[in-house]
Amino acid sequence: MQTLHLTDRETDLQLAADLLKRGELVAIPTETVYGLAADAQNGVAVANIFKAKGRPADNPLIVHIAHSEQLQDLVADVPSAAMDLSRAFWPGPLTMIFKKAPSIPNEVSAGLDTVAVRMPSHPIARRIIELSCPLAAPSANRSGIPSPTEAARVAEDMDGRIAAVVDGGSCEVGVESTVVDVTGERVRVLRPGAVTVEMLAQVVDKVEVDDAVTHEVQAGQTVSSPGMKYKHYAPNARVVLLKGTPTAYTAYVNEHATDGVMALCFDGEESNLNVPFLTYGKRADHAAQAKQLFEALRLLDERHASVAYTACPSPDGIGLAVYNRLLRAAGFEVIELD
Ligand code: AMP
Ligand code: MG
């Protein structure tokens, strides 16, 4: 299959929408990461997403909508917490888990009785949904590796496997949406993102963070979000997270400087390192870290790193999302330095 490379021109967006309505797969930009989209109500098209990505069949997808009215057909009910959160954070990088409506194919919900829904803010994503239909879309990478935040990265993974890629430039946020379960008594964060725990707590009373956000899921353990049990976001390089001061970080990396070792550090903390390095934002700038993380992880492989000693972000604000992705990229290999 020849993959079309489309622009943000209206005629291209119309073409993308037509392909989607015909059951084809199209990668689209969103404010979080690029998504690999299919008509959410076409089970065959959705099944093809899993094939193109090599995604485990038990990992459900997020349905993307452009208007609140589209929610009614997708979910069984809208709890009051969800109403409040949608008013505060939609359109934007917040996904909510609802009891699903009968119209949701099993391929989307991976056999669960719930469905994840989000309303993206990216104008290209919104326009394509308006011109087509609600879209099921996971990140547009091959399963397991870092999510794409540039159209060229999508093409690397998906050329020949999907009908088209729409180029919308670099994604603003850089990590996937915050996922919250709103079906229970308390709003529960299943995956952290740019809508932070602190922001959620300003809108709803009871917010809790699932254990799996910062802890490894043990074999056989039941998880609220199937995606949390898989190794994720990982480059070929072995990622090791180093927790400690900039001085302790530099000392540790230099003591372990052998062939193939690279440092993935914060901007401005590279000067005394004796190994090749990449940076991913300043230590205090979590938004910059989120925006640059996945591209930095992909660059490690291009530079043939075998080990990447990675400076660990503090887990507050959007930093929790960065920390969560890095923990998985590192397979939970963390060293406490101080
Ligand atoms: P991705 O599409 O790659 O951003 O991943 C979507 C994330 O949302 C995965 O971690 C899924 O496990 C999670 N997810 C999607 N639908 C549900 C659902 N119905 N219940 C719980 N988690 C979900
Ligand atoms: Mg993904």
Side-chain angles (χ1 to χ4, degrees), residues 91-169:
L94 177 70
T95 296
M96 291 188 271
I97 311 282
F98 299 88
K99 293 275 175 216
K100 73 172 193 172
S103 69
I104 298 293
N106 262 325
E107 288 81 358
V108 171
S109 50
L112 300 175
D113 60 359
T114 52
V115 63
V117 184
R118 146 167 137 82
M119 186 190 293
S121 63
H122 197 293
I124 296 179
R126 295 177 63 78
R127 184 68 184 143
I128 293 173
I129 298 166
E130 275 168 10
L131 293 168
S132 58
C133 52
L135 299 175
S139 51
N141 51 288
R142 276 182 294 109
S143 200
I145 70 172
S147 304
T149 55
E150 305 278 348
R153 296 298 185 193
V154 179
E156 274 173 26
D157 285 15
M158 293 295 161
D159 258 352
R161 294 167 170 261
I162 63 176
V165 181
V166 182
D167 192 340

Side-chain angles (χ1 to χ4, degrees), residues 259-338:
D259 261 7
V261 165
M262 282 189 73
L264 182 52
C265 65
F266 297 120
D267 287 352
E269 298 184 7
E270 61 272 35
S271 49
N272 294 319
L273 289 167
N274 297 333
V275 300
F277 63 86
L278 290 165
T279 64
Y280 74 110
K282 285 196 163 50
R283 187 173 282 260
D285 189 348
H286 291 140
Q289 292 161 19
K291 188 163 181 174
Q292 295 172 40
L293 177 68
F294 286 141
E295 191 55 25
L297 291 175
R298 285 190 175 231
L299 283 171
L300 289 172
D301 286 345
E302 287 185 4
R303 310 266 170 98
H304 307 290
S306 52
V307 183
Y309 289 118
T310 303
C312 189
S314 69
D316 49 86
I318 311 177
L320 182 63
V322 180
Y323 178 56
N324 166 272
R325 305 312 188 273
L326 274 170
L327 277 176
R328 280 162 178 78
F332 289 86
E333 191 175 353
V334 183
I335 297 176
E336 309 266 354
L337 296 176
D338 307 299

Side-chain angles (χ1 to χ4, degrees), residues 18-330:
D18 291 343
L19 288 166
L20 286 160
K21 282 191 283 187
R22 272 188 259 142
E24 300 283 352
L25 305 186
V26 178
I28 62 170
T30 81
E31 69 277 22
T32 58
V33 301
Y34 275 78
L36 181 54
D39 174 351
Q41 274 148 328
N42 179 339
V44 176
V46 173
N48 285 333
I49 293 179
F50 287 81
K51 282 188 206 142
K53 281 181 60 90
R55 184 178 175 101
D58 67 347
N59 194 5
L61 306 182
I62 296 168
V63 179
H64 295 70
I65 59 175
H67 301 290
S68 300
E69 304 82 73
Q70 290 175 315
L71 189 61
Q72 311 307 325
D73 300 336
L74 304 173
V75 307
D77 77 318
V78 182
S80 70
M83 297 285 280
D84 295 341
L85 290 172
S86 68
R87 253 182 247 118
F89 301 115
W90 278 3
L94 177 70
T95 296
M96 291 188 271
I97 311 282
F98 299 88
K99 293 275 175 216
K100 73 172 193 172
S103 69
I104 298 293
N106 262 325
E107 288 81 358
V108 171
S109 50
L112 300 175
D113 60 359
T114 52
V115 63
V117 184
R118 146 167 137 82
M119 186 190 293
S121 63
H122 197 293
I124 296 179
R126 295 177 63 78
R127 184 68 184 143
I128 293 173
I129 298 166
E130 275 168 10
L131 293 168
S132 58
C133 52
L135 299 175
S139 51
N141 51 288
R142 276 182 294 109
S143 200
I145 70 172
S147 304
T149 55
E150 305 278 348
R153 296 298 185 193
V154 179
E156 274 173 26
D157 285 15
M158 293 295 161
D159 258 352
R161 294 167 170 261
I162 63 176
V165 181
V166 182
D167 192 340
S170 307
C171 299
E172 197 49 47
V173 174
V175 292
E176 302 84 348
S177 58
T178 306
V179 177
V180 297
D181 185 346
V182 293
T183 61
E185 171 91 345
R186 287 159 178 265
V187 170
R188 173 184 281 266
V189 178
L190 304 183
R191 177 176 74 183
V195 174
T196 63
V197 177
E198 296 83 345
M199 288 159 73
L200 294 166
Q202 285 179 359
V203 177
V204 288
D205 279 347
K206 299 170 180 166
V207 181
E208 55 188 32
V209 179
D210 200 280
D211 237 22
V213 166
T214 48
H215 295 91
E216 192 164 13
V217 173
Q218 302 305 316
Q221 188 183 335
T222 328
V223 288
S224 324
S225 181
M228 292 195 286
K229 66 185 179 205
Y230 296 108
K231 180 159 182 173
H232 239 137
Y233 321 115
N236 294 322
R238 175 177 147 230
V239 175
V240 182
L241 268 181
L242 302 182
K243 273 191 191 172
T245 61
T247 315
Y249 173 79
T250 305
Y252 185 95
V253 174
N254 287 343
E255 274 162 31
H256 294 79
T258 51
D259 261 7
V261 165
M262 282 189 73
L264 182 52
C265 65
F266 297 120
D267 287 352
E269 298 184 7
E270 61 272 35
S271 49
N272 294 319
L273 289 167
N274 297 333
V275 300
F277 63 86
L278 290 165
T279 64
Y280 74 110
K282 285 196 163 50
R283 187 173 282 260
D285 189 348
H286 291 140
Q289 292 161 19
K291 188 163 181 174
Q292 295 172 40
L293 177 68
F294 286 141
E295 191 55 25
L297 291 175
R298 285 190 175 231
L299 283 171
L300 289 172
D301 286 345
E302 287 185 4
R303 310 266 170 98
H304 307 290
S306 52
V307 183
Y309 289 118
T310 303
C312 189
S314 69
D316 49 86
I318 311 177
L320 182 63
V322 180
Y323 178 56
N324 166 272
R325 305 312 188 273
L326 274 170
L327 277 176
R328 280 162 178 78

